[in-house]
Amino acid sequence: MRKKIAAANWKMNCTYQQGEQLLTEILSSNIALNDHQEAVFAVPFPYLTMAAEKTGGRKGYAIAAQNCYNKKSGAYTGEVSAEMLKSINIPYCLVGHSERREYFQESNQMLAEKIDLLLANGIIPIFCCGEPLEIREAGTQNSFVAKQLEESLFHLSPEAVAGIVIAYEPIWAIGTGKTASAAQAQEIHAYLRSVLAGKYGQAIADTIPVLYGGSVKGSNAQELFSCPDVDGGLVGGASLNAEEFSTIIKSLP
Ligand code: PGA
């Protein structure tokens, strides 16, 4: 069975103390996860070790970085490399969140480089893709997201691509309260899987978790996660509320 993942994306929110409190509250509900379920917390860099210590030893709980740089090492003041994340045992890293693409001009090519560095360091990339509103309104979302996959992932070997996670996040649904309907999510997730199958074969496409992101909350998680090609969610706003995110974790199939 494919992995089912509830991933929290804290973005640039919470002080250290607030983050610690939030994790304490979520972990205090002792939600047991089975072998194919995972709760992942993408926290700001300065909180990675704190979050890893707090979740350490809990089956199914893991930490993600929100970004890394697309160079190995060197004179890049202020940046964080995949190797640095590996050196503190971080298992996941978000790549290509739409906010990074928009505010930091991250191109598909740059994201391909980040993915290579992460995989070389044994870190699982959570590759984000998704279309803006004008593309959805024009009805060309499929070719838009297919191009994102092609340009950032299709250089990978079948073995490498089998080790990544994809998060489909329509930009028009991020932080807007406007969620894609379960039918819309299922349709494009199935399409993304068919694109992966076209390049790598159905067996590999079937192993890759595809998460949905964009205004996931406690009240809609179960419906979204019950779609056959939706393997959990990447959650922003609702992940900052312990009760909401706990409900989302519990909604994993
Ligand atoms: P949202 O953000 O849940 O607040 O819409 C999702 C994301 O950006 O990952």
Side-chain angles (χ1 to χ4, degrees):
M1 187 175 192
R2 269 198 299 275
K3 237 187 213 176
K4 306 290 177 185
I5 301 171
N9 177 11
W10 288 5
K11 310 191 180 186
M12 198 176 73
N13 291 298
C14 298
T15 61
Y16 184 95
Q17 290 76 13
Q18 288 165 339
E20 204 172 24
Q21 175 67 23
L22 178 57
L23 274 175
T24 302
E25 280 177 41
I26 294 167
L27 295 171
S28 71
S29 10
N30 283 317
I31 305 163
L33 298 173
N34 63 31
D35 287 342
H36 69 269
Q37 294 171 327
E38 204 154 21
V40 176
F41 298 87
V43 305
F45 289 130
Y47 312 160
L48 285 169
T49 43
M50 173 275 286
E53 274 164 25
K54 282 192 89 70
T55 53
R58 296 224 187 197
K59 180 172 160 355
Y61 288 79
I63 302 304
Q66 295 178 8
N67 182 37
C68 70
Y69 200 45
N70 62 320
K71 301 279 186 250
K72 207 164 175 285
S73 64
Y76 302 105
T77 304
E79 292 299 331
V80 171
S81 70
E83 191 182 25
M84 292 174 184
L85 298 175
K86 181 193 179 185
S87 71
I88 55 166
N89 301 315
I90 299 303
Y92 287 99
C93 183
L94 304 185
V95 176
H97 189 279
S98 62
E99 289 148 17
R100 304 272 341 153
R101 294 174 185 263
E102 182 180 353
Y103 305 137
F104 303 95
Q105 287 75 47
E106 294 193 354
S107 65
N108 289 338
Q109 178 51 40
M110 206 184 277
L111 302 177
E113 292 164 7
K114 293 187 184 202
I115 287 168
D116 289 346
L117 286 164
L118 287 166
L119 291 172
N121 283 285
I123 298 169
I124 300 171
I126 301 178
F127 175 71
C128 306
C129 60
E131 79 287 353
L133 182 61
E134 59 274 20
I135 295 288
R136 172 64 65 160
E137 282 174 348
T140 53
Q141 64 273 11
N142 285 6
S143 57
F144 186 91
V145 292
K147 188 163 184 277
Q148 290 179 320
L149 296 196
E150 282 160 19
E151 295 188 356
S152 296
L153 301 181
F154 277 17
H155 64 289
L156 296 174
S157 67
E159 298 71 35
V161 89
I164 68 156
V165 172
I166 292 176
Y168 166 72
E169 300 201 298
I171 297 169
W172 46 271
I174 295 179
T176 57
K178 207 171 154 187
T179 318
S181 67
Q184 280 174 321
Q186 169 55 27
E187 189 183 358
I188 196 151
H189 280 229
Y191 173 73
L192 287 169
R193 206 177 299 288
S194 76
V195 171
L196 293 166
K199 168 79 177 168
Y200 293 104
Q202 195 63 47
I204 285 185
D206 282 342
T207 66
I208 300 175
V210 184
L211 317 184
Y212 168 79
S215 300
V216 175
K217 13 183 205 286
S219 57
N220 60 23
Q222 198 162 12
E223 191 189 357
L224 286 161
F225 298 174
S226 66
C227 299
D229 286 291
V230 177
D231 304 307
L234 178 57
V235 187
S239 76
L240 300 171
N241 178 297
E243 205 179 314
E244 280 284 316
F245 195 63
S246 299
T247 305
I248 292 167
I249 300 174
K250 286 186 212 150
S251 305
L252 286 174

